[in-house]
Amino acid sequence: MDTEGKIPSSVAIIMDGNGRWAKKRLLPRSAGHAAGMTALRKIAIHAATVGIKYLTVYALSTENMSRPKAEVDFLIDLLRRYFSDYIPEIKEYGARIRVIGDVSVFPDDIRELMEKAERDTATQNKLVFTIAVNYGGRDEIVRAVNRAVEDGEKVDEKSFSSLLDTEGLPDPDLVIRTGGEVRVSNFLLWQGAYSEYYFTDVYFPDFDEKEFDRAIEAYGRRDRRYGRLKKGDK
Ligand code: FPP
């Protein structure tokens, strides 16, 4: 990987294109989601291996939850399988697991699997692997505002950040979106204020280690200015 030495510490991924990947192969959408789950196993392990410190993935948005019941049920079952079959392996790579989003809608057994994964990995720090489920950036902000109102304290940017689901996580340096759409889709709205965005046409099930490295390399060529002038400009 040629990164000119600049590797992002924190990477987030909008995993899009499962349905189109399946359609192209005349398969049901569920096959695309299952293939996406396998891709996510590889990407998490790869991220830990190449020295990414924080990886946050958009596994289920609040909006995804209103898809047809059969698809939502399938995705929820996939989540169960991901936590029971894949997380134990990913854990071995030193990953700390974290879940964000409103998990109250999930069955007890899945919530328990999530809590167990968080508990069992609480002291690991090679990679903080955060999985966003039933997550929406606006919903997260509204919940945080309500918490601030309940606390009755004025907030500033720092204290407000700590009311969000991502409390304690750094903002993403790089947000990757697969699947060809060029939009943010309610993901990490607050946290992405100064992120670099990388969009690729590759459908998520085909997003492999090589494609991930390509995104990291593209980040290495970006000039992050956070609203300031370019060096040498006045
Ligand atoms: C968007 O593809 C993706 C999702 C709605 C789900 C993302 C899930 C995975 C990558 C699998 C891993 C999942 C879990 C639960 C751990 P889409 O269906 O919108 O694709 P399309 O835009 O091509 O129709």
Side-chain angles (χ1 to χ4, degrees):
M1 184 171 24
D2 175 16
T3 60
E4 298 169 16
K6 221 171 44 167
I7 286 205
S9 160
S10 175
V11 176
I13 310 181
I14 301 172
M15 306 182 290
D16 195 18
N18 294 348
R20 281 163 289 158
W21 181 93
K23 194 170 175 197
K24 214 172 91 184
R25 289 164 177 75
L26 306 178
L27 294 169
R29 294 178 60 76
S30 56
H33 294 315
M37 175 167 83
T38 310
L40 181 55
R41 170 190 162 271
K42 281 195 290 188
I43 291 299
I45 291 172
H46 185 60
T49 313
V50 299
I52 304 297
K53 289 288 167 206
Y54 299 88
L55 176 69
T56 304
V57 296
Y58 206 6
L60 271 180
S61 68
T62 45
E63 291 75 21
N64 291 156
M65 300 299 283
S66 12
R67 287 189 178 187
K69 185 173 177 330
E71 183 168 351
V72 173
D73 286 349
F74 185 85
L75 282 165
I76 291 179
D77 192 48
L78 219 52
L79 199 57
R80 178 181 286 116
R81 275 161 49 198
Y82 197 78
F83 273 87
S84 65
D85 301 350
Y86 289 5
I87 289 290
E89 183 196 3
I90 293 167
K91 219 160 75 176
E92 294 306 310
Y93 288 82
R96 176 174 186 170
I97 310 299
R98 182 152 167 189
V99 179
I100 59 170
D102 178 5
V103 297
S104 65
V105 298
F106 297 115
D108 288 351
D109 71 302
I110 298 189
R111 293 216 311 270
E112 277 158 27
L113 282 169
M114 291 169 171
E115 280 163 24
K116 181 170 164 26
E118 289 182 323
R119 225 177 23 246
D120 290 354
T121 60
T123 57
Q124 309 212 104
N125 63 8
K126 185 137 200 268
L127 168 78
V128 179
F129 179 32
T130 303
I131 304 171
V133 287
N134 191 24
Y135 171 89
R138 287 186 173 182
D139 175 65
E140 176 191 38
I141 290 169
V142 168
R143 283 186 285 111
V145 168
N146 283 326
R147 282 169 69 184
V149 170
E150 277 164 27
D151 294 348
E153 298 274 342
K154 276 197 167 180
V155 291
D156 56 23
E157 289 190 10
K158 189 157 175 260
S159 66
F160 187 71
S161 292
S162 72
L163 295 173
L164 295 169
D165 293 356
T166 49
E167 176 196 3
L169 297 175
D171 291 342
D173 298 308
L174 172 67
V175 179
I176 299 169
R177 180 172 187 142
T178 66
E181 310 290 357
V182 185
R183 53 181 172 249
V184 172
S185 297
N186 206 10
F187 188 47
L188 302 178
L189 296 182
W190 171 274
Q191 300 86 339
Y194 283 103
S195 301
E196 294 294 324
Y197 283 81
Y198 175 88
F199 297 95
T200 170
D201 288 339
V202 173
Y203 296 144
F204 188 69
D206 290 328
F207 189 75
D208 58 11
E209 294 89 339
K210 207 171 83 237
E211 294 296 340
F212 184 87
D213 289 351
R214 202 168 272 166
I216 302 301
E217 284 165 17
Y219 173 84
R221 294 189 292 272
R222 303 272 177 97
D223 173 23
R224 298 186 79 185
R225 294 204 294 278
Y226 304 92
R228 294 188 292 262
L229 288 181
K230 243 180 159 158
K231 246 188 216 155
D233 283 358
K234 20 178 176 169

